[in-house]
C-alpha cells in the first residue's frame, strides 16, 4: 500500500501536509528551525507555501522525485517516487547525528535542530568510533542470530491429545510461542518460559500469580511479564494500584459446608442414586430420560417418580445411613438440623407442595412441569389426529396431508420432551447439584470436508454464550483457523423447540411462552408489544465448517449479543419481600433460588436469523429483508452431502432458559426505565469489590406496571447458583457504596458513560441509554 500526501485533510492511507488543527511533525520541526535561525514568520503559512510553490509546482525540481495520483473522490495526491531513493554507506565524511536528549539518530538536520517530535535537543555528530560502541540495539541487530517465531494455540478448544502434543513441542523448543487461554493457570509444566504477556488484568492476585509465575521458573533465567490494561473499571483500578495485584493477598481456598441449599441438593442426588441402584438390582431399567421417569405408564396409573416418592416416604434405612455419613456433623451440626437429616425433614421439603418457594417442593415442581409439557403436546397431538380422521372421512385429502405434517412435528416434539436426559433436567430444575454436570454445554460439530485439522478441535460453549458465538455470521477461531456456524443440530426424530416472546409496550414487562403469537401482558394487562417474535432453543448444539477466510489481527466476528431477561419465579408463590436499610432509607428486597432467566440473541441488527426447523440450516437475514417473511425454499441441508431441503426458512432468534439464584431490589424511589438501567449497571460494575467476578453475575429489570418504577434483578450467572446472589444480599450496603464510588470518580461526562464506569462489552446495546449522572442521582439517595 502506497502512502500518499495532499495539502490538507488526512484520510485512510493519505497524510495531510498541513494539520487540520494543532500541529504535526512537519509544522513542529519547521517552527523549531525558524526559531533556531531567528527568522520571524508564520510557520504554518510558510509550510503551505512550500507545498503550493515548491512541491506541487510542475516546473519544480521536485517534480522528478514526486509521482502524482488522481484518486476518485479524493482529488490529486503526491507520493515519493521509489526509483529516486538511493542508499549510501557510512564513511568518515558521512556519519549520522545523535541527539543527547532523546538518543535518536538522524542523518539530516537543519541548524542542528533535533527532528524528533516535541524534543528541543540539539544534535551533534556521532564520534568516529561509534560503530565499535556497546549500543544495546546495535548488538541485537548485528551480532545476534535471528530465529523464526513458531506460534501455536493452546486452549480448551483443542482435543486433549493434540493439545498435549503441542505442549511437548513447546517444551522441546520446536514451538517457541504459545497463545493460551486460562488452561495454563494450574498444573501444566511448560519448561523454560522467558516471557508472559497478558492481554488483560486477571480477576484476582491468585490468577495473576499463576499466569505470571509461568516465566522464570528455571534457575538463572530472567522473566519478563507484561500485562495490558484494558479501558474498563477492573483493569484501570489495578493499573493505578499495581501493587494490589502484584503483591496482593492470595485468598485461601475455602469450601464452605455452611450452605444448606448446596448440602440439600447433594442429599437429593444421593437419594436418586440409591433408588436407581435398587431398581437395577431388582432387574429393572435405569431411568435415563424424562419420559421414563415422569410419564404415567398406560394401565398402571403410576410413574417411576411416584415409586421414588413412596420409597422416600418409607424412610429406607440404607438411605438414612448414607445421608448421615455425608451431611456435615460436628461444628456444622446446625446444617443437619436445618435440613432435618435425623427426622427426614429434607424428604418432606423435597416432595411437599410448593407452598413456599425457598423451602419446599423442588421435585413436585419438576414433576408438574414435565407432566404439563408432555400432556400439552399429547393433547394437541390427539386433536390433530382427530382432525385428520375427520378430513379423511370427508375425502379432503390435501387438508389431511397438511395436518399430517403438523402431526409429524408434534410427534417429534413429544419425543424431544420425553427423551431429555433425566440428570440434566433435574439439575436444571435445581433438584440435584448443577455443578459437576455439564448440562448447559453445547458443541458445534464441524463438518470435515476432508480437513484433517477439524479432528483436532473441540468447540463447546455454555449455551448462554453459544447462542451468540455459534450464531450464523459469527466466527470461532481454533487451531489457527476460522470456523463458521451453518446451522443447528437436529437429531433424527427430534424437534427443535420454539417459543414466542414479547415486551409489553405499556410497561416494558418481558414474557415468553409456548404457543401462538397472541399476547396479553401479565403485569398491566396490555395487548400491545414493543418487541418480540419467535426463538428456537438450540439444545442439541450447532453445526459448522471451516471458513475460507484466514485469521488476521482483527477479532473474530460475533453476530449479536445475548440479552438477559427475567422471565418469572418458578413457584406457586413469589418470594417474600423483606425490608432493609440503605443509608437513611428503607428498601425492599427478595431472594429466590427459582428465578427463571431467558437469554435471547436476535443478531447484531435485531432481525433474527433464517432457520429451517426441518433440516437445521441457519443463515443471516439478508439486508433489506429483516422483518418480512422469507418463504424461499431453496437451501441445502447442513451436512456433508449438502442435499436439498424443500422446507421454508423462518425468521427467529436463538434462546436459552435456566433457573438460578436472584436478588430483586425495589428501591422505592421514582425512576424511569433508563435511570434504572444505569443504576443496575453501576451495581454490577461494583460486584468485584465484594469478591464476585463480573462475568459471574448479570442483571436485568422487572416491570411493576406502567406507573411504577421497575425493580432491579441481580442474577447469579452460574446456572443453579454458586452463592453469588447470597453474597450480594449479605453485602448490599457495601455494594451500593462501591457503585457510588465508581460513578463519582469516573472522568467521563455525567451525561454519558464509559468502560471505566457503566459500560461493558455485554451491555453495548444499552450504551446510549447508560448515563453516569442518572446512576449518581439514585445512588446518592442511599448514603448516610
Amino acid at each position: 500500500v502506497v502512502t500518499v500526501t495532499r495539502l490538507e485533510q488526512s484520510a485512510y492511507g493519505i497524510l495531510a501536509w498541513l494539520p487540520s488543527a494543532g500541529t504535526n511533525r512537519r509544522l513542529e520541526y519547521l517552527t523549531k528551525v525558524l526559531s533556531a535561525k531567528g527568522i520571524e514568520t508564520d510557520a504554518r503559512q510558510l509550510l503551505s507555501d512550500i507545498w503550493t510553490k515548491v512541491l506541487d509546482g510542475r516546473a519544480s525540481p521536485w517534480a522528478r522525485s514526486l509521482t502524482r495520483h488522481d484518486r476518485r473522490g479524493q482529488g490529486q495526491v503526491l507520493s515519493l517516487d521509489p526509483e529516486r531513493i538511493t542508499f549510501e554507506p557510512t564513511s568518515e565524511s558521512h556519519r549520522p547525528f545523535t541527539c543527547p536528549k532523546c538518543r535518536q539518530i538522524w542523518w539530516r538536520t537543519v541548524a542542528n535542530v533535533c527532528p524528533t517530535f516535541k524534543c528541543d535537543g540539539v544534535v551533534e555528530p556521532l564520534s568516529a568510533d561509534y560503530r565499535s560502541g556497546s549500543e544495546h540495539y546495535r548488538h541485537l541487530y548485528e551480532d545476534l542470530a535471528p530465529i523464526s517465531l513458531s506460534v501455536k494455540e493452546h486452549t480448551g478448544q483443542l482435543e486433549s491429545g493434540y493439545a498435549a502434543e503441542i505442549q511437548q513441542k513447546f517444551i522441546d523448543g520446536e514451538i517457541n510461542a504459545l497463545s493460551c487461554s486460562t488452561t495454563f493457570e494450574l498444573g501444566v509444566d511448560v519448561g523454560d518460559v522467558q516471557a508472559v504477556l497478558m492481554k488483560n488484568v486477571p480477576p484476582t492476585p491468585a490468577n495473576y500469580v499463576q499466569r505470571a509465575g509461568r516465566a522464570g521458573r528455571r534457575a538463572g533465567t530472567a522473566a519478563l511479564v507484561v500485562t495490558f490494561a484494558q479501558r474498563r473499571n477492573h483493569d484501570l483500578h489495578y493499573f493505578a494500584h499495581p501493587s494490589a495485584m502484584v503483591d496482593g493477598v492470595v485468598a485461601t481456598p475455602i469450601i464452605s459446608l455452611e450452605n444448606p441449599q448446596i448440602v440439600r441438593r447433594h442429599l437429593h442426588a444421593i437419594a436418586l442414586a440409591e433408588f436407581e441402584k435398587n431398581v437395577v438390582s431388582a432387574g429393572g431399567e435405569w431411568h435415563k430420560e424424562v419420559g421414563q421417569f415422569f410419564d404415567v405408564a398406560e394401565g398402571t396409573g403410576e410413574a417411576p417418580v411416584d415409586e421414588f416418592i413412596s420409597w422416600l416416604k418409607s424412610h429406607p434405612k440404607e438411605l438414612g445411613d448414607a445421608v448421615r455419613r455425608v451431611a456435615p456433623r460436628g461444628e456444622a451440626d446446625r446444617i443437619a438440623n436445618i435440613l432435618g437429616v435425623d427426622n427426614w425433614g429434607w424428604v418432606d421439603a423435597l416432595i411437599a407442595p410448593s407452598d413456599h418457594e425457598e423451602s419446599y417442593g423442588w421435585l413436585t415442581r419438576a414433576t408438574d412441569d414435565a407432566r404439563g409439557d408432555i400432556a400439552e403436546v399429547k393433547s394437541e397431538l390427539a386433536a390433530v389426529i382427530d382432525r385428520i380422521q375427520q378430513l379423511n372421512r370427508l375425502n379432503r385429502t390435501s387438508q389431511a396431508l397438511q395436518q399430517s405434517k403438523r402431526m409429524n412435528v408434534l410427534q417429534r416434539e413429544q419425543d424431544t420432551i420425553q427423551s431429555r436426559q433425566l440428570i440434566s433436567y433435574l439439575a436444571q430444575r435445581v433438584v440435584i447439584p448443577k455443578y459437576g454436570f455439564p448440562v448447559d454445554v453445547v458443541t458445534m460439530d464441524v463438518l470435515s470436508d476432508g480437513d484433517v485439522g477439524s479432528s483436532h478441535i473441540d468447540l463447546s460453549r455454555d449455551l448462554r454464550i453459544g447462542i451468540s458465538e455459534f450464531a450464523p455470521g459469527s466466527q470461532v477461531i481454533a487451531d489457527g483457523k476460522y470456523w463458521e456456524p451453518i446451522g443447528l443440530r437436529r437429531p433424527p426424530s427430534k424437534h427443535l423447540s420454539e417459543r414466542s416472546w414479547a415486551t409489553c409496550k405499556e410497561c416494558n414487562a418481558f414474557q415468553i411462552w409456548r404457543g401462538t403469537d397472541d399476547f396479553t401482558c401479565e403485569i398491566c394487562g396490555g395487548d400491545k408489544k414493543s418487541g418480540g417474535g419467535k426463538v428456537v432453543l438450540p439444545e442439541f448444539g450447532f453445526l459448522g465448517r471451516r471458513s475460507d477466510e484466514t485469521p488476521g489481527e482483527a477479532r473474530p466476528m460475533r453476530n449479536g449479543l445475548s440479552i438477559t431477561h427475567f422471565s418469572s419465579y418458578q413457584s406457586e408463590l413469589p418470594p417474600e419481600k423483606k425490608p432493609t436499610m440503605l443509608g437513611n432509607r428503607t428498601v425492599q428486597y427478595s431472594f429466590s433460588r427459582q428465578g427463571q432467566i431467558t437469554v435471547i440473541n436476535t443478531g447484531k441488527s435485531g432481525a433474527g436469523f433464517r432457520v429451517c426447523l426441518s433440516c437445521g440450516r441457519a443463515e443471516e437475514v439478508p439486508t433489506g429483508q429483516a422483518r418480512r417473511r422469507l418463504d424461499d425454499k431453496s437451501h441445502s441441508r447442513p451436512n456433508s452431502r449438502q442435499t436439498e431441503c424443500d422446507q421454508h426458512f423462518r425468521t427467529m432468534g436463538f434462546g436459552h432458559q435456566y433457573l438460578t439464584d436472584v436478588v430483586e431490589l425495589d428501591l422505592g424511589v421514582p425512576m424511569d426505565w433508563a435511570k434504572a438501567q444505569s443504576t443496575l449497571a453501576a451495581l454490577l460494575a461494583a460486584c468485584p469489590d465484594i469478591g464476585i467476578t463480573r462475568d459471574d453475575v448479570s442483571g436485568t429489570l422487572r416491570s411493576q406496571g406502567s406507573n411504577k418504577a421497575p425493580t432491579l434483578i441481580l442474577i447469579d450467572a452460574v446456572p443453579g447458583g454458586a452463592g453469588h446472589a447470597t453474597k450480594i444480599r449479605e453485602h448490599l450496603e457495601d455494594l451500593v457504596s462501591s457503585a457510588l464510588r465508581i460513578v463519582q470518580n469516573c472522568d467521563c461526562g455525567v451525561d454519558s458513560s464509559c468502560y471505566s464506569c457503566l459500560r461493558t462489552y455485554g451491555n453495548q446495546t444499552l450504551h446510549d441509554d447508560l448515563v453516569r449522572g442518572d446512576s449518581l442521582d439514585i445512588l446518592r439517595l442511599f448514603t448516610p
Side-chain angles (χ1 to χ4, degrees):
V1 178
V2 177
T3 300
V4 296
T5 307
R6 63 185 177 193
L7 180 60
E8 294 178 306
Q9 295 183 342
S10 61
Y12 179 75
I14 301 177
L15 296 178
W17 180 258
L18 285 176
S20 300
T23 187
N24 61 13
R25 290 180 179 274
R26 286 168 294 283
L27 181 57
E28 196 255 359
Y29 183 59
L30 180 59
T31 301
K32 291 190 293 186
V33 169
L34 293 175
S35 176
K37 287 185 168 291
I39 301 174
E40 295 184 3
T41 187
D42 186 343
R44 186 181 181 91
Q45 182 59 48
L46 177 58
L47 191 64
S48 176
D49 292 342
I50 292 174
W51 177 273
T52 56
K53 298 178 182 179
V54 179
L55 298 180
D56 201 23
R58 295 186 180 275
S60 167
W62 279 89
R64 292 178 300 171
S65 300
L66 298 174
T67 303
R68 299 176 183 274
H69 307 268
D70 288 314
R71 292 196 173 182
R72 181 178 298 178
Q74 296 174 334
Q76 191 174 85
V77 294
L78 302 179
S79 67
L80 188 64
D81 183 359
E83 296 293 332
R84 306 290 294 181
I85 299 175
T86 61
F87 295 89
E88 298 181 23
T90 59
S91 63
E92 288 299 319
S93 59
H94 184 57
R95 295 206 305 268
F97 299 89
T98 183
C99 174
K101 193 165 187 177
C102 68
R103 307 296 297 174
Q104 289 285 340
I105 295 177
W106 297 98
W107 291 93
R108 293 288 185 271
T109 182
V110 178
N112 293 329
V113 172
C114 177
T116 302
F117 189 57
K118 293 188 176 180
C119 175
D120 57 1
V122 176
V123 300
E124 55 190 36
L126 277 175
S127 60
D129 60 346
Y130 75 96
R131 290 178 59 90
S132 61
S134 58
E135 290 286 339
H136 172 68
Y137 292 105
R138 176 176 295 279
H139 166 69
L140 294 181
Y141 287 126
E142 294 185 348
D143 297 334
L144 288 184
I147 60 172
S148 60
L149 192 64
S150 176
V151 185
K152 280 290 185 179
E153 172 189 337
H154 191 290
T155 69
Q157 297 184 133
L158 301 182
E159 185 270 328
S160 57
Y162 182 58
E165 180 182 335
I166 290 176
Q167 179 182 325
Q168 188 58 48
K169 287 183 177 180
F170 181 79
I171 295 173
D172 296 340
E174 297 179 46
I175 298 170
N176 52 22
L178 289 178
S179 175
C180 303
S181 63
T182 56
T183 53
F184 267 55
E185 273 199 15
L186 292 172
V188 180
D189 184 6
V190 286
D192 186 12
V193 179
Q194 296 178 337
V196 172
L197 280 74
M198 289 176 258
K199 74 169 190 175
N200 52 33
V201 177
T204 68
N207 302 106
Y208 180 84
V209 168
Q210 288 292 339
R211 300 176 194 182
R214 292 290 158 192
R217 301 182 71 177
R218 297 294 187 264
T221 60
L224 172 66
V225 179
V226 178
T227 304
F228 178 79
Q230 299 187 30
R231 185 172 171 76
R232 58 188 185 186
N233 184 59
H234 173 80
D235 291 32
L236 293 178
H237 170 76
Y238 284 108
F239 182 78
H241 307 91
S243 61
M245 177 62 70
V246 179
D247 300 326
V249 176
V250 177
T252 303
I254 296 174
I255 299 176
S256 175
L257 301 179
E258 296 293 311
N259 190 327
Q261 298 303 329
I262 292 178
V263 178
R264 186 187 297 278
R265 293 174 209 166
H266 278 283
L267 300 188
H268 300 165
I270 292 169
L272 180 64
E274 193 70 31
F275 172 74
E276 293 293 343
K277 184 171 67 174
N278 290 342
V279 169
V280 174
S281 298
E285 185 179 352
W286 171 28
H287 304 106
K288 299 180 181 179
E289 298 177 349
V290 166
Q292 285 179 296
F293 192 67
F294 291 108
D295 203 8
V296 177
E298 293 185 12
T300 66
E302 195 173 63
V305 65
D306 300 311
E307 298 176 17
F308 178 48
I309 291 173
S310 298
W311 178 75
L312 288 173
K313 288 181 177 179
S314 70
H315 299 171
K317 182 179 182 302
E318 66 275 16
L319 176 59
D321 293 340
V323 166
R324 291 185 188 93
R325 286 195 301 269
V326 172
R329 315 301 295 181
E331 294 181 1
D333 265 354
R334 69 178 191 87
I335 301 298
N337 293 332
I338 290 172
L339 299 178
V341 169
D342 294 325
N343 63 10
W344 296 85
W346 64 275
V347 170
D348 298 334
L350 175 63
I351 64 178
S354 52
D355 296 327
H356 191 290
E357 70 90 18
E358 281 196 44
S359 304
Y360 298 101
W362 296 277
L363 184 60
T364 304
R365 275 191 298 274
T367 303
D368 292 344
D369 290 344
R371 286 177 172 172
D373 289 344
I374 294 172
E376 186 177 356
V377 176
K378 282 184 175 181
S379 175
E380 191 173 351
L381 183 58
V384 171
I385 292 174
D386 288 343
R387 179 63 176 159
I388 292 173
Q389 292 173 348
Q390 294 174 5
L391 293 171
N392 284 332
R393 286 195 295 268
L394 297 172
N395 292 322
R396 296 179 180 176
T397 308
S398 61
Q399 294 179 4
L401 182 61
Q402 289 297 322
Q403 290 296 316
S404 295
K405 292 180 179 179
R406 175 61 181 162
M407 180 186 70
N408 292 334
V409 170
L410 289 172
Q411 287 173 336
R412 290 198 300 269
E413 185 170 354
Q414 178 182 350
D415 184 65
T416 299
I417 294 172
Q418 292 182 319
S419 62
R420 287 173 179 162
Q421 292 295 311
L422 178 61
I423 287 180
S424 296
Y425 180 80
L426 292 177
Q428 289 168 342
R429 294 291 168 175
V430 203
V431 177
I432 61 177
K434 191 154 192 170
Y435 38 82
F437 298 102
V439 294
D440 286 331
V441 174
V442 293
T443 62
M444 184 169 76
D445 296 335
V446 178
L447 304 180
S448 64
D449 292 331
D451 183 6
V452 178
S454 63
S455 63
H456 295 323
I457 63 173
D458 178 13
L459 302 177
S460 59
R461 298 287 190 276
D462 185 287
L463 195 47
R464 292 172 298 146
I465 302 171
I467 60 175
S468 289
E469 291 198 5
F470 292 159
S474 296
Q475 295 173 319
V476 179
I477 188 168
D479 197 25
K481 307 176 185 68
Y482 275 144
W483 307 88
E484 57 186 14
I486 60 173
L488 308 180
R489 186 172 178 270
R490 187 184 74 81
S493 79
K494 297 292 190 268
H495 179 71
L496 292 168
S497 300
E498 59 179 294
R499 299 286 188 272
S500 300
W501 71 277
T503 303
C504 178
K505 188 175 183 179
E506 298 297 327
C507 69
N508 279 322
F510 172 84
Q511 285 180 213
I512 186 166
W513 68 97
R514 182 183 178 275
T516 64
D517 292 336
D518 297 336
F519 169 74
T520 301
C521 179
E522 296 176 350
I523 302 298
C524 70
D527 59 358
K528 293 183 174 58
K529 299 181 287 187
S530 62
K534 293 280 189 178
V535 294
V536 60
L537 309 181
E539 54 191 311
F540 305 116
F542 299 80
L543 296 172
R545 66 186 175 197
R546 181 177 174 181
S547 172
D548 295 331
E549 187 177 348
T550 302
E553 295 184 4
R555 295 171 63 96
M557 291 188 297
R558 182 182 294 187
N559 193 0
L561 293 169
S562 296
I563 307 301
T564 300
H565 303 273
F566 176 79
S567 305
S568 60
Y569 291 109
Q570 293 298 293
S571 54
E572 293 184 6
L573 295 175
E576 178 187 358
K577 285 190 174 183
K578 299 177 181 179
T580 187
M581 292 297 296
L582 285 180
N584 298 321
R585 289 177 177 264
T586 301
V587 302
Q588 300 285 331
Y589 79 92
S590 57
F591 172 81
S592 173
R593 301 185 184 278
Q594 292 288 314
Q596 185 183 62
I597 309 303
T598 300
V599 188
I600 292 177
N601 176 27
T602 54
K604 57 190 174 185
S605 64
F609 308 93
R610 297 205 304 171
V611 181
C612 176
L613 295 180
S614 176
C615 70
R617 169 70 70 176
E619 301 176 352
E620 292 185 89
V621 173
T623 304
Q625 303 185 52
R627 288 298 180 188
R628 70 181 181 85
R629 183 183 176 189
L630 300 169
D631 56 3
D632 52 307
K633 296 183 180 181
S634 179
H635 64 273
S636 59
R637 299 175 184 273
N639 54 36
S640 56
R641 297 183 300 277
Q642 296 288 298
T643 55
E644 290 295 309
C645 176
D646 61 356
Q647 299 301 307
H648 288 270
F649 277 121
R650 295 177 59 189
T651 303
M652 313 178 76
F654 293 155
H656 171 52
Q657 293 184 293
Y658 63 93
L659 289 180
T660 190
D661 298 350
V662 299
V663 174
E664 182 174 4
L665 290 179
D666 185 351
L667 297 180
V669 296
M671 58 179 173
D672 58 19
W673 201 267
K675 274 197 172 185
Q677 288 281 18
S678 298
T679 305
L680 175 64
L683 294 176
L684 292 173
C687 281
D689 289 349
I690 62 170
I692 302 174
T693 302
R694 178 62 183 85
D695 292 339
D696 284 346
V697 286
S698 61
T700 188
L701 303 181
R702 187 186 189 206
S703 173
Q704 298 191 91
S706 54
N707 297 320
K708 295 182 179 179
T711 58
L712 280 56
I713 305 283
L714 290 99
I715 302 165
D716 188 330
V718 180
H724 301 314
T726 301
K727 182 174 283 189
I728 289 173
R729 177 182 60 176
E730 294 173 348
H731 297 86
L732 194 55
E733 189 171 1
D734 294 335
L735 183 68
V736 172
S737 298
S738 294
L740 179 60
R741 176 186 57 79
I742 289 171
V743 294
Q744 275 182 330
N745 296 337
C746 190
D747 294 330
C748 68
V750 292
D751 56 350
S752 63
S753 61
C754 68
Y755 277 84
S756 295
C757 54
L758 305 184
R759 297 185 180 186
T760 66
Y761 177 84
N763 66 18
Q764 59 185 283
T765 58
L766 304 172
H767 282 183
D768 292 340
D769 299 323
L770 298 179
V771 178
R772 184 168 68 91
D774 285 351
S775 58
L776 264 174
D777 292 342
I778 300 300
L779 293 172
R780 280 172 175 162
L781 300 175
F782 300 97
T783 55

